[in-house]
Amino acid sequence: SVSHPSSFASCCTRCACHAWVAATQAEDVVAATQAWHAQRVQQLAKEDGWLTLVGLTWLKEGEQTAGSAPDSTVRLPASVPAKAGTFVREGTTVRFQPAAGVVFTKDGQPFTGGALKTDEKGAPDVLRLGSVNFQVIHRGDKLGVRVKDAEAPARKQFHGIPTYAPSAAWKVEARLVPDPASRTITVPNVLGTQDQMPSPGALVFTVAGKEYRLLPVQDEGSDELFIIFGDETNRDTTYGAGRFLSAPLPDPSGRVVLDFNRAYNPPCAFSAFATCPLPPRGNRLALRVEAGEKRAGNH
């Protein structure tokens, strides 16, 4: 016969076993959350991460100058020549012509001028010069030049993001209640406009005996749900406009795990030049979600 170790035998009472399992689960949540957060911070602080965002200029029709000169329409960082080039907007098309002697690159090759693909349908064209890069973004009827600089003070002075202590209690099981008809929800943004985004239904979950629900969105082809939510901690300890959370798609029974330990700040928490979505109607919880990232940055 095989004798069991005394430590295992001592766990054979129901209470002891439950305590051991609970402790193991708590340790797993702590370790997993810390690993996730380390990767999150690394992504944020990389050379083209959100901390490098230093400018956003909305283009009008016609020609607009770009460069580090104070009178440039599209103001670029000081490391860029005073007169770096010219943008031309014609409807939904934007062209850029570098100034003589100024060599921008696209995909590692010199860019001599031409139309720039926006971010409306996939990855945009990115032009680079030294530590600076820019791209054209499309928001509603707006076309803007988003400027990043790897030498941005926000990146150089970044020292991480404060968080709540990870807790297994904030890894909550929800069920997806599908909408019988295909639907979209209205998602406002910091620009004062609204977007219609596809939603598969409502995520229903319980905290401290009370039921709550959140409306996720899901881009076509995405393997996860995206949730923009607010809660009562926004008043004092977390970012005032709300936070983001990603969750896996539901299993065959409609079960979804919401791990609020991974709630994170939107880019607008770190930069005045981001164009963040805000919680849609019904996604502000009458609850203190004391999990995930706390307030950081100056925005």
Side-chain angles (χ1 to χ4, degrees), residues 194-242:
Q194 298 178 334
D195 297 305
Q196 297 299 314
M197 303 181 73
S199 176
L203 291 168
V204 181
F205 58 100
T206 301
V207 175
K210 187 174 180 180
E211 188 175 273
Y212 300 91
R213 60 180 53 215
L214 289 168
L215 293 173
V217 297
Q218 182 186 4
D219 290 330
E220 185 177 353
S222 175
D223 61 355
E224 62 182 14
L225 303 175
F226 180 58
I227 303 153
I228 311 155
F229 77 98
D231 69 274
E232 292 184 354
T233 66
N234 298 159
R235 301 173 183 173
D236 45 27
T237 57
T238 62
Y239 183 56

Side-chain angles (χ1 to χ4, degrees), residues 18-264:
H18 284 182
W20 179 79
V21 170
T24 302
Q25 289 175 339
E27 289 172 4
D28 289 346
V29 167
V30 170
T33 302
Q34 289 173 341
W36 173 85
H37 187 69
Q39 185 177 37
R40 148 81 172 152
V41 167
Q42 184 180 40
Q43 285 291 110
L44 189 63
K46 65 182 184 179
E47 286 194 350
D48 62 349
W50 287 110
L51 293 174
T52 67
L53 191 55
V54 294
L56 175 62
T57 303
W58 299 109
L59 298 173
K60 300 177 181 178
E61 284 289 313
E63 290 191 2
Q64 283 127 111
T65 58
S68 59
D71 61 348
S72 300
T73 305
V74 179
R75 186 77 177 271
L76 299 176
S79 61
V80 173
K83 297 185 182 300
T86 305
F87 286 95
V88 179
R89 175 179 176 178
E90 294 178 341
T92 58
T93 300
V94 175
R95 301 194 312 275
F96 180 71
Q97 181 60 53
V102 181
V103 182
F104 285 90
T105 61
K106 185 183 80 168
D107 299 326
Q109 300 298 318
F111 180 79
T112 57
L116 298 177
K117 185 171 64 174
T118 74
D119 68 346
E120 184 182 21
K121 297 179 180 178
D125 289 331
V126 179
L127 299 191
R128 302 180 185 276
L129 180 60
S131 65
V132 176
N133 72 76
F134 63 76
Q135 59 186 259
V136 179
I137 65 172
H138 195 146
R139 299 291 181 272
D141 61 352
K142 295 175 176 286
L143 289 168
V145 181
R146 171 178 282 166
V147 183
K148 295 183 176 182
D149 186 355
E151 298 297 319
R155 179 173 183 246
K156 295 298 183 180
Q157 298 165 12
F158 180 60
H159 298 296
I161 307 169
T163 67
Y164 288 99
S167 169
W170 282 110
K171 195 170 181 179
V172 179
E173 183 174 320
R175 71 181 189 279
L176 180 67
V177 180
D179 192 294
S182 177
R183 66 171 291 181
T184 61
I185 60 173
T186 301
V187 179
N189 59 53
V190 298
L191 302 177
T193 60
Q194 298 178 334
D195 297 305
Q196 297 299 314
M197 303 181 73
S199 176
L203 291 168
V204 181
F205 58 100
T206 301
V207 175
K210 187 174 180 180
E211 188 175 273
Y212 300 91
R213 60 180 53 215
L214 289 168
L215 293 173
V217 297
Q218 182 186 4
D219 290 330
E220 185 177 353
S222 175
D223 61 355
E224 62 182 14
L225 303 175
F226 180 58
I227 303 153
I228 311 155
F229 77 98
D231 69 274
E232 292 184 354
T233 66
N234 298 159
R235 301 173 183 173
D236 45 27
T237 57
T238 62
Y239 183 56
R243 292 179 289 171
F244 294 166
L245 180 67
S246 295
L249 297 181
D251 67 14
S253 66
R255 175 179 171 271
V256 177
V257 175
L258 300 179
D259 190 350
F260 286 102
N261 295 293
R262 301 188 182 192
Y264 63 98

